[in-house]
Amino acid sequence: MVSRSVLFAVLSLLCNGIDAFHNLFPIDIGLSEEDPFLTTEREEFDDCHLRYMRYGKDELDIPEPLRAYEEPRDYSHIATIGRRRNGGTIDWTCMGALIWDSVVITSAQCTTDEGNGIPSVVRLGGTKYVQVINIKEVIRHPDFLPSNGQNDIALLQLDRKIIINETAVPTCLWLFDGVPFQKLDSIGRTAASRRQQTPEFVTEEMTTVNVKSEDCFAPMTRNQGLPESQLCMETLKQNADNCQDIPEGNPLQARLLHNFQTSPFLIGLVTSSFSSGSCNRRRGYTKIGSHRDWLMQVLLERNVSVTPEDFFPVVCANRFRGLRPRADELVLERNGDIPVNSIQVEFVRDRDLQYIVQFRWPSDAKNVPQINCAGTFVDQQTVLTLAECVIATTPEGVQPTDVVQVSRFRNTSYPIKSITVHPHYVKSSQKNNIAVVKLQSRQDVVPACVWTHRILPDSRVDLTGAGMSTLNNFQESIFVEDDLTNAFIQPAMDHYRWSNCSTELGQLVGGNRSLDGLTKNEHLCFRSDQWIVPGVCEDVPGAPVLRYINRAGAFFKYVYALTVAGQTCGHGIPTIAVQLAPHAAWLRSVILDKSNSGGQKASESVIIINPDLKRSDECSNGDGTMGICVPYAMCLSTKERLRKGERVTLCTDGTVVCCPWEIRGDLIRTELDSCENRYHSLRRQRYSGFSQNEFLYSNLPHVAEVGWPQNNGGIAFECFGYLITSSIIVTSARCLETYSYKPVVARIGSVQAADSSNYIIQTIRRVRVHDDYDSQTGANNIGLLILAAPIEINEYHFPGCLYRNNTHLPTRQFAISDDRDATFFLKVSPIYQSECQQRLTVPLVSGQMCLLKAQPEGVYNPRNKCLRTGDLIVWEPRTEEEDVMDVVYLVGLFSHGGCNVENVQIGTRISSYYDWIIANGK
């Protein structure tokens, strides 16, 4: 028996080679224990996990947790500014931020003479590695006004460059006029003493006050208000009486996300109008962006090796990204396994994101509505996108001609067959903004499944956008890659309540895109408080919002919605997406087209009249089954044979039929039908033994090896069989053709056996091959071995069960084979017969089933293992009992098929031959 433990061990081997799993860690919504089954032809819309089981990710490598930092990196840019006193002591009076390797920014108030001289020294670094550097020059803004804090900004040029490391790294500067962030961080000191020798800082969350500037006052300015170059901020602390020390030069910043890390962006410095220790919950801050020209002028005049481009957000974020603190929550929810460099980010896109496409329009098309739209494969011939992305742009009806997979090295185009826009879509509206694009042919791509339920299974999603590769990798080193190309990326994002989202819709899109028609019944909103560095991610119309879900023990991506509006992929500003669930019925009607299913019609029964036969004569139905002529009413199997399209022989007239032998057949049928319960105690014994000694119970108790005598006196075991009763073995007819003479023995329970006491060798009494076996087509490729005597049944060798369902096939099957005397298990999955027929050059014959080898998504080189004729195809359902091995069913026998992973594997379907096995097992 192939135990679950054995199969799981095999799965881990199948998954070797999985690279970075860049999506959110898959969620388990209670469907992981499903045992799904595939019908002969497609009947359901929600069958994605059934028809594409071969692509399911089985498991993920869980790496070791990332190493903790020796010192925190959150304050590596914060400088403490001091004045030397008599006796050599230093009074650390105020704060600032390192903006270059030899320049610190602070407030002008910090640089005024307090009676003890101007600042003379700067301290940077953490408790373990501190750098104390003298100040070479103090450059105060010439128009500084202490009375109202106007131009309260200054630069300190150091007398040497600092040593940049993880505890001392320059900050980035927000040099734009506008400040979009509603919440900012004020960095203060944890101790009030100005003589503390160990730097200790604390972060205080502030929010922008959206009131008139005159309402933001300080004790020194009262109703004078704040200049335009200042920000009014309010602390979020509920207890304002518990005041923190607010030193001069107190920085105001935002930590912006990139590379799964955050970089500080300095927004402002507290103004001199707020005295140290003030308990006013509102404060004014000098905006850095208002003084960018003065900053650059001072730096250039002092020959500091900096250019304006060095302060661009993209450039600054990329410069020291290896030294910035990780956003550990983002790393952890991806199970710690994320892309580590720009090449890998592109590689992920080229391989794992090929289900996301763009559109190609005719070269002479004008007024293309959305040139940067995306679409999502939801099956291998269907793409979903927005109606606005593909709607005709001219009265002549010009539409896209191809979908395009964009990769690092080449773009691949697939011609479009048809475009169906939702019939109730109104141009320039977001209502019913959805379309189905069908391609001319099936493509070998791993599609996303459609989530047809209105409720999302989890509040976290992968929201697809486009961003610079260099800002979306993860690498903790000083090495910088200047790869500014764009790629599809999938940041993690939160579902946002529509009631909150609706108040922010005005910020969603620029240009003239319409937000008309947005409703909570059709659309979803996504947003995070965490802002990103500009360029990290921009929304792409039509791009999928999705999540990997664990179904039947494998991970499948389910798309919930398609992006319609947004700017920053939900970071800070909401992203709106049209949900697919409200349109499930329409999608089903368009996508599920049974008229072109291509399925085979049920074959009609062949009725043969033999006038020479009379009642009680021995007879044959011409398909290898022997029987006796009896009245029709006495033969219980005739009706079933007619239903299944099998041969029926009439003896003399229509009232007497050739009925397969029922006496012996009834005994065999009883044994086969009771297989699950008959050997339950043995499976329980194996579980108990396996729990104590896996090695001793590693053999496969149902598997037999078929042996032929050799000239040297030995036995050659060339192929597999499957023990179904104590004296009957099922194998393939082609296996029995290995030699020109018949096999003589079967070795049972020997595969993977620990020692010879675990298996038995039994003599074969009779070999039975199906009468209509065709070696050219593989039709009826089945045979039986009848043993000379029943075997001794114990926990090491006992019969397995036969899968008897004729209408459905389990989607998780395994082929048992060997290569160079090493047994291996190859995951295989059935496909619809119509799809199978499209892949074959010859017709599929009755009694055959089509399988494809596993190609887990993300595996770069799936194994091209060759199967051998007679290899066993088994299914192991999940039992609810925890102390018993699962039943193993023989579903089929491998007949023929190529070795490559994309080749169709043809198997003999055991359920089609159940009656034949019973009739010929005597």
Side-chain angles (χ1 to χ4, degrees):
M1 177 174 61
V2 185
S3 70
R4 181 181 297 179
S5 299
V6 172
L7 292 187
F8 276 10
V10 172
L11 290 181
S12 65
L13 295 177
L14 290 175
C15 295
N16 284 343
I18 289 181
D19 284 332
F21 191 68
H22 57 286
N23 303 87
L24 283 174
F25 192 72
I27 56 174
D28 189 345
I29 59 174
L31 300 176
S32 60
E33 292 299 314
E34 285 179 312
D35 269 328
F37 298 87
L38 188 76
T39 56
T40 303
E41 290 299 341
R42 189 178 187 188
E43 299 175 353
E44 298 295 332
F45 180 58
D46 186 19
D47 66 342
C48 180
H49 66 295
L50 304 177
R51 64 194 304 210
Y52 299 120
M53 177 61 73
R54 63 188 181 274
Y55 296 124
K57 294 173 183 278
D58 292 294
E59 56 186 41
L60 297 173
D61 293 330
I62 302 178
E64 294 295 325
L66 293 173
R67 178 177 54 85
Y69 298 130
E70 292 184 6
E71 292 195 49
R73 299 185 177 187
D74 293 332
Y75 305 109
S76 58
H77 59 295
I78 299 298
T80 309
I81 302 168
R83 292 172 166 84
R84 283 194 171 88
R85 305 302 187 188
N86 294 333
T89 61
I90 300 176
D91 188 4
W92 303 102
T93 56
C94 44
M95 299 173 63
L98 184 70
I99 65 170
W100 204 247
D101 56 13
S102 60
V103 180
V104 169
I105 194 169
T106 187
S107 65
Q109 181 67 25
C110 171
T111 66
T112 58
D113 189 345
E114 293 184 335
N116 294 301
I118 61 175
S120 57
V121 66
V122 164
R123 181 179 62 195
L124 290 156
T127 57
K128 183 176 180 180
Y129 185 44
V130 177
Q131 299 182 61
V132 179
I133 304 174
N134 291 328
I135 296 173
K136 176 182 178 181
E137 182 184 6
V138 175
I139 309 105
R140 186 185 307 121
H141 196 289
D143 298 325
F144 167 54
L145 294 177
S147 60
N148 63 0
Q150 185 84 15
N151 302 309
D152 193 356
I153 190 171
L155 295 179
L156 307 177
Q157 186 173 16
L158 310 182
D159 67 355
R160 60 181 172 86
K161 295 180 180 180
I162 69 160
I163 299 173
I164 295 178
N165 56 38
E166 61 271 15
T167 65
V169 189
T171 186
C172 296
L173 300 179
W174 187 260
L175 297 179
F176 302 100
D177 291 328
V179 179
F181 320 112
Q182 289 299 309
K183 295 179 181 179
L184 295 170
D185 294 331
S186 173
I187 309 300
R189 297 186 299 203
T190 58
S193 172
R194 288 159 47 134
R195 290 181 171 81
Q196 58 182 356
Q197 296 303 310
T198 301
E200 296 179 2
F201 305 110
V202 65
T203 300
E204 182 182 7
E205 191 174 18
M206 309 284 289
T207 183
T208 303
V209 180
N210 295 315
V211 294
K212 295 180 181 179
S213 61
E214 56 265 24
D215 293 329
C216 188
F217 61 87
M220 296 176 60
T221 59
R222 290 297 175 186
N223 295 324
Q224 297 177 21
L226 294 178
E228 290 296 324
S229 60
Q230 294 183 7
L231 281 174
C232 182
M233 305 297 298
E234 184 176 61
T235 178
L236 293 179
K237 286 185 177 180
Q238 297 298 318
N239 185 6
D241 295 331
N242 185 14
C243 301
Q244 293 287 342
D245 182 26
I246 306 174
E248 295 162 349
N250 166 224
L252 184 71
Q253 68 177 34
R255 296 206 72 96
L256 303 187
L257 181 68
H258 63 97
N259 303 105
F260 298 91
Q261 300 162 314
T262 59
S263 285
F265 276 75
L266 188 66
I267 307 295
L269 300 164
V270 70
T271 64
S272 58
S273 58
F274 288 81
S275 60
S276 177
S278 168
C279 284
N280 187 355
R281 291 184 62 187
R282 291 183 177 176
R283 306 173 203 159
Y285 285 84
T286 299
K287 288 196 295 186
I288 303 298
S290 299
H291 299 86
R292 58 182 176 272
D293 295 337
W294 175 79
L295 285 172
M296 292 308 308
Q297 178 185 348
V298 170
L299 294 175
L300 294 175
E301 288 176 350
R302 269 101 182 138
N303 295 319
V304 176
S305 58
V306 63
T307 65
E309 290 78 11
D310 289 322
F311 289 116
F312 287 176
V314 170
V315 177
C316 182
N318 193 46
R319 185 182 299 122
F320 299 119
R321 68 168 185 262
L323 299 175
R324 301 299 188 187
R326 298 185 299 261
D328 282 333
E329 66 278 6
L330 294 182
V331 178
L332 290 175
E333 67 184 358
R334 280 165 173 75
N335 212 35
D337 197 3
I338 57 176
V340 294
N341 56 50
S342 293
I343 297 298
Q344 191 172 350
V345 170
E346 289 288 354
F347 189 55
V348 164
R349 177 191 182 185
D350 292 347
R351 189 188 63 205
D352 293 344
L353 301 184
Q354 289 187 349
Y355 63 94
I356 304 174
V357 295
Q358 295 175 290
F359 297 96
R360 175 174 293 164
W361 291 72
S363 57
D364 58 348
K366 298 180 181 179
N367 302 320
V368 174
Q370 290 294 329
I371 194 67
N372 293 320
C373 277
T376 303
F377 271 100
V378 293
D379 65 42
Q380 294 185 320
Q381 204 167 343
T382 306
V383 171
L384 290 190
T385 188
L386 302 182
E388 66 180 73
C389 292
V390 294
I391 195 168
T393 59
T394 66
E396 292 77 21
V398 177
Q399 290 180 290
T401 58
D402 302 80
V403 301
V404 183
Q405 285 177 336
V406 180
S407 72
R408 185 180 182 88
F409 303 106
R410 67 187 180 95
N411 298 343
T412 306
S413 298
Y414 304 119
I416 292 173
K417 178 182 178 181
S418 65
I419 297 175
T420 306
V421 173
H422 196 288
H424 300 302
Y425 170 68
V426 177
K427 190 175 181 180
S428 299
S429 170
Q430 298 302 338
K431 185 174 179 60
N432 301 310
N433 189 3
I434 191 170
V436 174
V437 178
K438 289 194 174 183
L439 307 184
Q440 292 185 9
S441 60
R442 180 184 54 81
Q443 305 305 322
D444 194 14
V445 63
V446 183
C449 303
V450 175
W451 184 254
T452 58
H453 308 281
R454 284 184 175 267
I455 298 177
L456 301 188
D458 193 72
S459 61
R460 292 285 273 176
V461 301
D462 283 312
L463 196 155
T464 308
M468 294 183 181
S469 296
T470 191
L471 294 179
N472 285 283
N473 55 48
F474 178 76
Q475 190 167 354
E476 291 194 303
S477 73
I478 198 69
F479 175 70
V480 173
E481 297 173 84
D482 294 324
D483 182 3
L484 301 182
T485 59
N486 266 15
F488 282 130
I489 58 152
Q490 291 182 325
M493 188 49 54
D494 296 311
H495 182 223
Y496 194 47
R497 291 182 60 182
W498 188 263
S499 57
N500 296 332
C501 181
S502 58
T503 62
E504 304 177 36
L505 294 183
Q507 307 176 50
L508 289 180
V509 277
N512 54 8
R513 291 195 65 206
S514 172
L515 296 180
D516 179 60
L518 293 178
T519 65
K520 65 178 181 180
N521 294 325
E522 188 184 356
H523 297 88
L524 298 173
C525 188
F526 302 93
R527 184 185 179 278
S528 168
D529 287 338
Q530 175 64 65
W531 288 77
I532 55 175
V533 172
V536 167
C537 189
E538 295 181 2
D539 289 279
V540 177
V545 178
L546 68 158
R547 184 72 186 264
Y548 275 82
I549 294 175
N550 190 337
R551 297 201 69 171
F555 309 137
F556 302 89
K557 52 182 177 284
Y558 276 83
V559 56
Y560 305 146
L562 305 177
T563 297
V564 296
Q567 293 181 358
T568 57
C569 302
H571 292 94
I573 301 176
T575 287
I576 301 295
V578 56
Q579 190 175 9
L580 300 183
H583 303 288
W586 177 75
L587 290 172
R588 182 182 296 107
S589 68
V590 176
I591 296 175
L592 192 58
D593 184 2
K594 291 187 178 182
S595 61
N596 296 320
S597 63
Q600 292 182 328
K601 295 181 179 179
S603 60
E604 296 182 358
S605 299
V606 176
I607 300 178
I608 300 171
I609 301 176
N610 189 338
D612 296 330
L613 292 176
K614 298 179 178 59
R615 181 171 176 173
S616 301
D617 286 349
E618 191 177 72
C619 59
S620 171
N621 280 309
D623 59 358
T625 59
M626 300 300 296
I628 187 171
C629 292
V630 298
Y632 171 80
M634 295 177 60
C635 187
L636 301 179
S637 63
T638 299
K639 185 177 180 180
E640 178 66 10
R641 293 175 67 84
L642 290 170
R643 186 189 67 79
K644 292 164 60 177
E646 296 176 349
R647 297 188 187 188
V648 174
T649 297
L650 300 183
C651 304
T652 305
D653 58 42
T655 62
V656 180
V657 297
C658 181
C659 186
W661 291 104
E662 299 288 346
I663 300 175
R664 171 64 177 166
D666 283 345
L667 296 177
I668 297 175
R669 185 184 298 274
T670 299
E671 185 169 355
L672 294 180
D673 288 350
S674 64
C675 174
E676 291 86 352
N677 295 325
R678 182 181 292 261
Y679 304 110
H680 182 272
S681 61
L682 290 176
R683 293 196 300 273
R684 189 181 297 277
Q685 290 179 40
R686 277 188 67 85
Y687 180 88
S688 177
F690 188 84
S691 301
Q692 299 175 22
N693 188 339
E694 293 184 16
F695 178 73
L696 186 61
Y697 289 85
S698 60
N699 74 313
L700 308 182
H702 320 317
V703 177
E705 296 172 285
V706 185
W708 284 261
Q710 303 296 297
N711 291 333
N712 60 4
I715 300 292
F717 294 96
E718 300 288 356
C719 48
F720 286 151
Y722 195 79
L723 185 71
I724 61 171
T725 73
S726 61
S727 59
I728 302 175
I729 294 172
V730 178
T731 187
S732 70
R734 188 164 291 174
C735 163
L736 300 177
E737 290 181 332
T738 303
Y739 294 92
S740 59
Y741 52 94
K742 294 180 179 181
V744 295
V745 295
R747 189 165 61 185
I748 304 161
S750 58
V751 177
Q752 293 188 339
D755 57 59
S756 59
S757 65
N758 289 3
Y759 61 85
I760 187 172
I761 297 179
Q762 198 81 336
T763 303
I764 297 173
R765 176 173 62 86
R766 186 166 67 90
V767 176
R768 183 79 170 91
V769 175
H770 199 289
D771 288 345
D772 293 328
Y773 164 59
D774 187 335
S775 60
Q776 298 299 315
T777 65
N780 304 304
N781 188 6
I782 190 171
L784 296 178
L785 302 176
I786 312 301
L787 302 181
I791 69 166
E792 176 190 351
I793 292 178
N794 59 34
E795 68 266 32
Y796 296 113
H797 34 77
F798 60 94
C801 300
L802 295 183
Y803 183 73
R804 305 185 290 275
N805 190 312
N806 259 319
T807 60
H808 294 70
L809 284 171
T811 58
R812 292 177 61 87
Q813 302 176 40
F814 286 87
I816 305 175
S817 185
D818 63 15
D819 182 16
R820 299 176 183 177
D821 297 326
T823 305
F824 67 88
F825 303 84
L826 189 66
K827 181 182 174 185
V828 290
S829 299
I831 57 176
Y832 292 127
Q833 286 198 6
S834 56
E835 180 182 347
C836 177
Q837 200 61 66
Q838 292 172 9
R839 294 170 175 262
L840 296 177
T841 57
V842 295
L844 195 68
V845 300
S846 177
Q848 290 181 336
M849 62 180 185
C850 283
L851 304 161
L852 287 175
K853 298 176 183 177
Q855 305 176 56
E857 185 181 13
V859 175
Y860 182 54
N861 284 317
R863 298 189 301 172
N864 285 327
K865 284 286 190 179
C866 296
L867 296 179
R868 303 184 312 159
T869 182
D871 282 347
L872 310 174
I873 302 169
V874 301
W875 168 59
E876 185 179 22
R878 295 176 172 88
T879 181
E880 296 182 358
E881 295 184 74
E882 297 181 355
D883 61 345
V884 64
M885 293 290 191
D886 296 333
V887 178
V888 176
Y889 290 88
L890 180 67
V891 180
L893 299 166
F894 174 70
S895 178
H896 56 278
C899 294
N900 293 331
V901 70
E902 65 273 9
N903 293 144
V904 173
Q905 309 297 302
I906 302 299
T908 300
R909 184 168 179 164
I910 291 297
S911 62
S912 298
Y913 296 91
Y914 193 66
D915 288 337
W916 179 87
I917 291 171
I918 293 172
N920 291 274
K922 56 183 182 297

